[in-house]
């Protein structure tokens, strides 16, 4: 964003430019220039293969030399380089040998014939000056790309954004109208070193290496560089194939969903390919050092990771590509560096961490409220029905209003919220949001044809353009109307903001995308399922250049408007909950990820949802469930066609349980009454969830300060362990709890990797002897084994009806001992963060409570106050610690005496044989404890 592109796809002016170097030179001449190149290449191969002494280095080098000296493919150009270092030429096409060779590529005629780039590629650049930056002028060696599109001269601009964040911006000087970053930071003051290669005559061609912490983070020398009309390509040699991110798995994708990148082309196009458009990667070395790469580009992308660590990026873009490199060196540093660039996530309202239910329509809502209360199920919001207020976006149908008002009142009486469901598709119909949009002229257009109308729920719909300032007025208008009818809006979940258009191309007369390249996995079209790619958001911006940002911008606009119409209360801005569906890095600033819609009830989608929650966490959107449990079936016919499982099935029970340990917990209820069995699952999952809300909220606070995801892949804590890097189906909730869901239908066991350290079954507290390896745990019905990590203390709380009302209840601690840790002199530590959970900027105003718990030895816990905000006897918040559960105690017997700061105290101590000790009824209140003063010590014998 902040960058504009002129709409000019074939630039006539450039046709008249001087002929570029390479055209006209016979291909075999280039081989003579290759000797310098070969040295670089060999060097790199050796480096790439460090550690694999014979088969990894010597054999490939010999093979390479053998191929160079004997196998002469079509021209003597270096077509015969080692197979691993080849990237595909003419991606997405199936050329004949001649077409391949005519396109300047190499042909391999084996049983799986393929067309690949020579090395150096025919599609390279030469340096037009030998300056060492920040600006380097580059001229293409070939006038057209392999895809037949016209190539452009480029400027490469390098700019450190901070000492561990570098940007490399490649742009077409003639057409680029965006900013050129210039922070004035000298690269020598940063973690980075940049090496530029290439001669003025193109031998060797231009390449850039980025180095940090003594390691080459990437090099562009092993592939082509193409910058042309609607087709760009760049290959980065990464030091590793442990690469994670790129939006994770698709929800209905064919690939087995993982956070770790599989090989093969992976598209990035909101909605298409069912993969979130998060153009971000974390790369992890064997020794656990990490770095990040964040691509910014205005168009659909595709990456392909080869087993050699080559990462080819292909993009349907025209003018610029920005690569942000984050130096790490730990995975946590990388996420922090990303959040520094895109924004740290906001702290959600406290109630956002409770249970959110939703359903197709409101007819069963009332019964649900009753059964939930009878069963003791706490929950925090209900959407009351996907179209509770009307069929159309931002509409209130007056005949629906009385019923909704009644239900809304029933919710608010119990301190619960109404979660509005909204979507960007504005029906072409005489109702205020559409008429107002026409009056303000904010809808996306299609050339001279006026507004572009797509199809949504079989209706003709227009789409708000989000790039015009007047759209914000429109948002204000529609939200004010909504608020007038229904009262204050506290939460909105946005759906279908890819934005979805059902039907091939809506009313667009053009039957197909006329593009040289379409990322694989998108069914050969980037207009399918969304706006036609050439529709216009403004005079200068075509849809495809901002498609991946639409959901982000919609969330941002709604966030702004909702705040603008909400008056401050006693000088405090109320927090709102906004959930988007197609998030981008940075969405965390405005809210969370509500999850995909139209998700079937299958084991694969549960796993995809889980991976989506992880990928959101990677890019600073900790508040995500991936998808509401237990998927959403659209119609009875659909669910029959899909042979989907009932809500009261082991799939749903497991999904509900999994949802309860993800930062956002949504459940999509089926029509009719919730059965007793399903309700029992919900209650049991909720009981666990609501008790750990203080712990989850404390993790949310840390996420808002550091970007650290709340639910995180094991590599965040154990990056140096291969088994942890590969453990795709288990995660940590905060640093202390490990969750191991099963995604295999009715599997009797689940495989769990227990990293080195001390682990306890949780709850239960038995110490696990099996650390450092993968263990099979038997799964009883509905179960999801959980483990607590030694060295940590988690704060918990009793619960009542909803998250907010539970905050007055006393706290308890679970202490998992590990007195042998080298990293600390204590046996366990933990924290509790408390603020009002309702207004913004509590941290900057210092209106929060931060308490630290330390267990210096196995029979005591110390409380210190890091920041105080709560007084004694607060009507809404507790400062009382009533019970402590210890895992891993050696002493399993004693007189059962408790002292507080040396004085005898009330309460009981219970020892059991496997090292669990339970102290209860102590009622310790820390409300008078001075900040930074002495600790309050609770000891027992
Ligand atoms: C052609 O491709 C096959 C299969 O990938 C590979 O084994 C072989 O080495 C390649 N041949 C040449 C000459 O590159
Ligand atoms: C780099 O190029 C940009 C655009 O041409 C220019 O604005 C900037 O001043 C240049 N920086 C330096 C240090 O030459
Ligand atoms: C980790 O490994 C990378 C590449 O293998 C190396 O460059 C780096 O120096 C190592 N870092 C440490 C701290 O060992
Ligand atoms: C999409 O179109 C199909 C066929 O017309 C229809 O069955 C389906 O309900 C539509 N879905 C949406 C979300 O509009
Ligand atoms: C659902 O429960 C309510 C009240 O418990 C009852 O009146 C209603 O008949 C039930 N509906 C169905 C479809 O079982």
């Amino acid at each position: 964003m902040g960058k504009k592109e002129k709409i000019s796809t074939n630039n006539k002016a450039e046709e008249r430019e001087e002929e570029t170097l390479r055209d006209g030179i016979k291909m075999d001449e280039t081989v003579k220039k290759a000797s310098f190149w070969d040295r670089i290449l060999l060097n790199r191969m050796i480096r790439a293969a460090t550690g694999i002494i014979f088969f990894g280095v010597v054999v490939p080098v010999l093979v390479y030399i053998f191929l160079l000296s004997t196998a002469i493919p079509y021209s003597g150009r270096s077509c015969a380089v080692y197979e691993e270092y080849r990237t595909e030429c003419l991606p997405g096409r199936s050329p004949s040998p001649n077409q391949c060779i005519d396109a300047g590529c190499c042909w391999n005629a084996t049983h799986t014939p393929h067309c690949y780039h020579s090395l150096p590629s025919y599609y390279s650049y030469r340096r037009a000056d030998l300056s060492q930056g920040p600006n380097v002028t580059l001229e293409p060696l070939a006038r057209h790309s392999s895809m037949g599109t016209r190539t452009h001269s480029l400027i490469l601009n390098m700019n450190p954004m901070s000492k561990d964040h570098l940007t490399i911006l490649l742009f077409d000087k003639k057409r680029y109208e965006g900013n050129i970053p210039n922070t004035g930071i000298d690269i020598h003051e940063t973690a980075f070193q940049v090496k530029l290669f290439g001669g003025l005559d193109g031998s060797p061609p231009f390449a850039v290496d980025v180095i940090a912490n003594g390691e080459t983070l990437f090099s562009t020398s092993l592939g082509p560089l193409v910058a042309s009309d609607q087709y760009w390509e760049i290959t980065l040699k990464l030091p590793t194939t442990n690469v994670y991110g790129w939006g994770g798995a698709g929800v209905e994708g064919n690939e087995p969903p993982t956070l770790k990148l599989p090989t093969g082309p992976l598209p990035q196009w909101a909605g298409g390919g069912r993969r979130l458009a998060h153009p971000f990667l974390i790369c992890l070395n064997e020794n656990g050092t990490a770095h990040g790469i964040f691509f910014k580009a205005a168009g659909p992308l595709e990456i392909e990771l080869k087993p050699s660590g080559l990462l080819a990026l292909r993009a349907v873009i025209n003018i610029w590509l920005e690569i942000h490199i984050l130096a790490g060196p730990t995975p946590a540093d990388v996420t922090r560096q990303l959040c520094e660039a895109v924004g740290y996530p906001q702290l959600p309202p406290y109630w956002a961490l409770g249970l959110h239910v939703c359903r197709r329509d409101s007819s069963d809502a009332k019964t649900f409220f009753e059964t939930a209360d009878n069963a003791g199920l706490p929950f925090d919001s209900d959407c009351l029905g996907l179209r509770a207020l009307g069929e159309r976006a931002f509409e209130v149908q007056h005949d629906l209003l009385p019923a909704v008002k009644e239900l809304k009142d029933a919710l608010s009486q119990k301190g619960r919220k109404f979660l509005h469901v909204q979507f960007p598709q504005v029906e072409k119909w005489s109702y205020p949001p559409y008429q107002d949009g026409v009056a303000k002229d904010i809808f996306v257009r299609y050339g001279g044809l006026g507004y572009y109308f797509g199809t949504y729920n079989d209706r003709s719909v227009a789409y708000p353009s989000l790039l015009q300032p007047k759209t914000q007025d429109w948002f204000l208008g529609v939200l004010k109307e909504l608020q007038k009818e229904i009262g204050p809006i506290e939460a909105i979940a946005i759906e279908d903001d890819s934005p979805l258009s059902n039907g091939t191309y809506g009313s667009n007369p053009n039957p197909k995308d006329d593009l040289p390249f379409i990322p694989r996995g998108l069914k050969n079209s980037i207009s399918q399922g969304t706006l036609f790619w050439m529709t216009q958001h403004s005079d200068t911006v075509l849809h495809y250049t901002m498609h991946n940002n639409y959901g982000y911008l919609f969330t941002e606009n709604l966030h702004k408007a909702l705040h603008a119409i909400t008056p401050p209360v006693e000088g405090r801005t109320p927090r709102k909950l906004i959930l988007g569906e197609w998030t981008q890095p940075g969405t965390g600033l405005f809210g969370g990820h509500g999850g995909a819609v139209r998700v079937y009830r299958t084991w694969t989608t549960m796993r995809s949802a889980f991976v989506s929650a992880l990928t959101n966490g990677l890019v600073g959107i900790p508040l995500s469930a991936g998808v509401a449990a237990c998927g959403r079936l659209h119609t009875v016919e659909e669910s029959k066609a899909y042979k989907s499982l009932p809500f009261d099935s082991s799939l749903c029970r497991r999904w509900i349980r999994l949802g309860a340990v993800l930062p956002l917990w949504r459940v999509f209820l089926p029509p009719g009454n919730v059965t007793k069995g399903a309700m029992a699952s919900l209650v049991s999952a909720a009981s666990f969830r609501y008790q750990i809300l203080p712990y989850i909220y404390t993790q949310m606070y840390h996420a808002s300060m550091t970007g650290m995801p709340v639910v995180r892949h094991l590599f965040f804590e154990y990056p140096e362990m291969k088994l942890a890097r590969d453990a795709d189906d288990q995660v940590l909730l905060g640093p202390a709890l490990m969750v191991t869901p099963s995604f295999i239908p009715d599997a009797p066991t689940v495989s769990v990797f227990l990293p080195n350290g001390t682990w306890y079954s949780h709850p239960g507290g038995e110490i696990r002897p099996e650390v450092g390896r993968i263990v099979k745990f038997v799964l009883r019905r509905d179960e999801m084994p959980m483990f607590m990590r030694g060295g940590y203390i988690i704060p918990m709380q009793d619960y009542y009806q909803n998250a907010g009302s539970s905050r007055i209840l006393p706290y308890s601690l679970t202490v998992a001992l590990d007195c042998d840790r080298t990293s600390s002199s204590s046996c366990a530590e933990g924290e509790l963060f408390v603020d009002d959970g309702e207004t913004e900027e509590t941290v900057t105003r210092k209106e929060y409570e931060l308490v630290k718990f330390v267990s210096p030895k196995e029979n005591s816990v110390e409380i210190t106050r890091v920041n105080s905000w709560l007084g004694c006897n607060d009507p809404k918040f507790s400062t009382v610690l009533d019970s402590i559960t210890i895992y891993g105690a050696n002493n399993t017997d004693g007189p059962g005496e408790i002292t507080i700061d040396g004085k005898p105290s009330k309460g009981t101590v219970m020892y059991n044989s496997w090292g669990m000790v339970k102290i209860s009824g102590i009622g310790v209140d820390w409300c008078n404890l001075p900040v930074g003063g002495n600790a309050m010590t609770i000891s027992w014998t």
Side-chain angles (χ1 to χ4, degrees), residues 833-844:
F833 172 85
V834 182
D835 68 355
D836 68 12
E838 284 171 2
T839 61
E840 301 209 322
E841 309 204 322
T842 52
V843 176
T844 41

PDB file of all heavy atoms in Angstrom, residues 833-844:
ATOM      1  N   PHE A 833      -1.563 -10.722  33.950  1.00  0.00           N
ATOM      2  CA  PHE A 833      -1.861  -9.359  33.508  1.00  0.00           C
ATOM      3  C   PHE A 833      -3.362  -9.129  33.640  1.00  0.00           C
ATOM      4  O   PHE A 833      -4.161  -9.955  33.212  1.00  0.00           O
ATOM      5  CB  PHE A 833      -1.426  -9.189  32.041  1.00  0.00           C
ATOM      6  CG  PHE A 833      -1.864  -7.896  31.421  1.00  0.00           C
ATOM      7  CD1 PHE A 833      -1.111  -6.745  31.572  1.00  0.00           C
ATOM      8  CD2 PHE A 833      -3.049  -7.824  30.689  1.00  0.00           C
ATOM      9  CE1 PHE A 833      -1.524  -5.540  31.001  1.00  0.00           C
ATOM     10  CE2 PHE A 833      -3.467  -6.625  30.124  1.00  0.00           C
ATOM     11  CZ  PHE A 833      -2.701  -5.487  30.272  1.00  0.00           C
ATOM     12  N   VAL A 834      -3.722  -8.016  34.252  1.00  0.00           N
ATOM     13  CA  VAL A 834      -5.149  -7.674  34.389  1.00  0.00           C
ATOM     14  C   VAL A 834      -5.335  -6.214  34.005  1.00  0.00           C
ATOM     15  O   VAL A 834      -4.572  -5.356  34.451  1.00  0.00           O
ATOM     16  CB  VAL A 834      -5.634  -7.843  35.858  1.00  0.00           C
ATOM     17  CG1 VAL A 834      -7.120  -7.543  35.981  1.00  0.00           C
ATOM     18  CG2 VAL A 834      -5.339  -9.237  36.386  1.00  0.00           C
ATOM     19  N   ASP A 835      -6.294  -5.938  33.141  1.00  0.00           N
ATOM     20  CA  ASP A 835      -6.705  -4.540  32.945  1.00  0.00           C
ATOM     21  C   ASP A 835      -8.215  -4.558  32.823  1.00  0.00           C
ATOM     22  O   ASP A 835      -8.836  -5.617  33.005  1.00  0.00           O
ATOM     23  CB  ASP A 835      -6.029  -3.910  31.721  1.00  0.00           C
ATOM     24  CG  ASP A 835      -6.510  -4.517  30.414  1.00  0.00           C
ATOM     25  OD1 ASP A 835      -7.295  -5.477  30.469  1.00  0.00           O
ATOM     26  OD2 ASP A 835      -6.108  -4.051  29.350  1.00  0.00           O
ATOM     27  N   ASP A 836      -8.831  -3.413  32.497  1.00  0.00           N
ATOM     28  CA  ASP A 836     -10.302  -3.420  32.498  1.00  0.00           C
ATOM     29  C   ASP A 836     -10.860  -4.300  31.373  1.00  0.00           C
ATOM     30  O   ASP A 836     -12.013  -4.701  31.411  1.00  0.00           O
ATOM     31  CB  ASP A 836     -10.857  -1.991  32.466  1.00  0.00           C
ATOM     32  CG  ASP A 836     -10.603  -1.263  31.152  1.00  0.00           C
ATOM     33  OD1 ASP A 836     -10.209  -1.903  30.171  1.00  0.00           O
ATOM     34  OD2 ASP A 836     -10.819  -0.034  31.114  1.00  0.00           O
ATOM     35  N   GLY A 837     -10.026  -4.577  30.354  1.00  0.00           N
ATOM     36  CA  GLY A 837     -10.460  -5.448  29.277  1.00  0.00           C
ATOM     37  C   GLY A 837     -11.527  -4.834  28.396  1.00  0.00           C
ATOM     38  O   GLY A 837     -12.130  -5.507  27.577  1.00  0.00           O
ATOM     39  N   GLU A 838     -11.753  -3.543  28.569  1.00  0.00           N
ATOM     40  CA  GLU A 838     -12.866  -2.906  27.855  1.00  0.00           C
ATOM     41  C   GLU A 838     -12.496  -1.637  27.121  1.00  0.00           C
ATOM     42  O   GLU A 838     -13.173  -1.224  26.199  1.00  0.00           O
ATOM     43  CB  GLU A 838     -13.968  -2.542  28.859  1.00  0.00           C
ATOM     44  CG  GLU A 838     -14.768  -3.736  29.305  1.00  0.00           C
ATOM     45  CD  GLU A 838     -15.691  -3.415  30.451  1.00  0.00           C
ATOM     46  OE1 GLU A 838     -15.743  -2.239  30.880  1.00  0.00           O
ATOM     47  OE2 GLU A 838     -16.359  -4.347  30.929  1.00  0.00           O
ATOM     48  N   THR A 839     -11.400  -0.988  27.563  1.00  0.00           N
ATOM     49  CA  THR A 839     -11.043   0.264  26.897  1.00  0.00           C
ATOM     50  C   THR A 839      -9.637   0.160  26.327  1.00  0.00           C
ATOM     51  O   THR A 839      -8.847  -0.695  26.720  1.00  0.00           O
ATOM     52  CB  THR A 839     -11.114   1.471  27.866  1.00  0.00           C
ATOM     53  OG1 THR A 839     -10.177   1.243  28.920  1.00  0.00           O
ATOM     54  CG2 THR A 839     -12.496   1.639  28.440  1.00  0.00           C
ATOM     55  N   GLU A 840      -9.364   1.054  25.375  1.00  0.00           N
ATOM     56  CA  GLU A 840      -8.075   1.002  24.691  1.00  0.00           C
ATOM     57  C   GLU A 840      -6.996   1.706  25.509  1.00  0.00           C
ATOM     58  O   GLU A 840      -7.287   2.491  26.397  1.00  0.00           O
ATOM     59  CB  GLU A 840      -8.227   1.666  23.324  1.00  0.00           C
ATOM     60  CG  GLU A 840      -9.286   0.939  22.517  1.00  0.00           C
ATOM     61  CD  GLU A 840      -9.055   1.006  21.039  1.00  0.00           C
ATOM     62  OE1 GLU A 840      -8.613   2.052  20.554  1.00  0.00           O
ATOM     63  OE2 GLU A 840      -9.320  -0.019  20.379  1.00  0.00           O
ATOM     64  N   GLU A 841      -5.776   1.404  25.142  1.00  0.00           N
ATOM     65  CA  GLU A 841      -4.602   2.089  25.689  1.00  0.00           C
ATOM     66  C   GLU A 841      -4.447   1.957  27.200  1.00  0.00           C
ATOM     67  O   GLU A 841      -3.905   2.852  27.846  1.00  0.00           O
ATOM     68  CB  GLU A 841      -4.626   3.571  25.302  1.00  0.00           C
ATOM     69  CG  GLU A 841      -4.834   3.708  23.815  1.00  0.00           C
ATOM     70  CD  GLU A 841      -4.316   4.997  23.237  1.00  0.00           C
ATOM     71  OE1 GLU A 841      -4.445   6.030  23.904  1.00  0.00           O
ATOM     72  OE2 GLU A 841      -3.773   4.931  22.125  1.00  0.00           O
ATOM     73  N   THR A 842      -4.908   0.878  27.751  1.00  0.00           N
ATOM     74  CA  THR A 842      -4.713   0.688  29.188  1.00  0.00           C
ATOM     75  C   THR A 842      -3.224   0.561  29.512  1.00  0.00           C
ATOM     76  O   THR A 842      -2.786   0.990  30.567  1.00  0.00           O
ATOM     77  CB  THR A 842      -5.439  -0.584  29.664  1.00  0.00           C
ATOM     78  OG1 THR A 842      -5.042  -1.648  28.825  1.00  0.00           O
ATOM     79  CG2 THR A 842      -6.932  -0.426  29.629  1.00  0.00           C
ATOM     80  N   VAL A 843      -2.477  -0.006  28.568  1.00  0.00           N
ATOM     81  CA  VAL A 843      -1.050  -0.204  28.847  1.00  0.00           C
ATOM     82  C   VAL A 843      -0.316   1.128  28.804  1.00  0.00           C
ATOM     83  O   VAL A 843       0.456   1.445  29.700  1.00  0.00           O
ATOM     84  CB  VAL A 843      -0.444  -1.240  27.887  1.00  0.00           C
ATOM     85  CG1 VAL A 843       1.054  -1.377  28.117  1.00  0.00           C
ATOM     86  CG2 VAL A 843      -1.114  -2.602  28.069  1.00  0.00           C
ATOM     87  N   THR A 844      -0.596   1.943  27.788  1.00  0.00           N
ATOM     88  CA  THR A 844       0.095   3.237  27.723  1.00  0.00           C
ATOM     89  C   THR A 844      -0.313   4.130  28.891  1.00  0.00           C
ATOM     90  O   THR A 844       0.479   4.924  29.381  1.00  0.00           O
ATOM     91  CB  THR A 844      -0.181   3.967  26.390  1.00  0.00           C
ATOM     92  OG1 THR A 844      -1.549   3.805  26.076  1.00  0.00           O
ATOM     93  CG2 THR A 844       0.676   3.435  25.275  1.00  0.00           C
TER      94      THR A 844
END
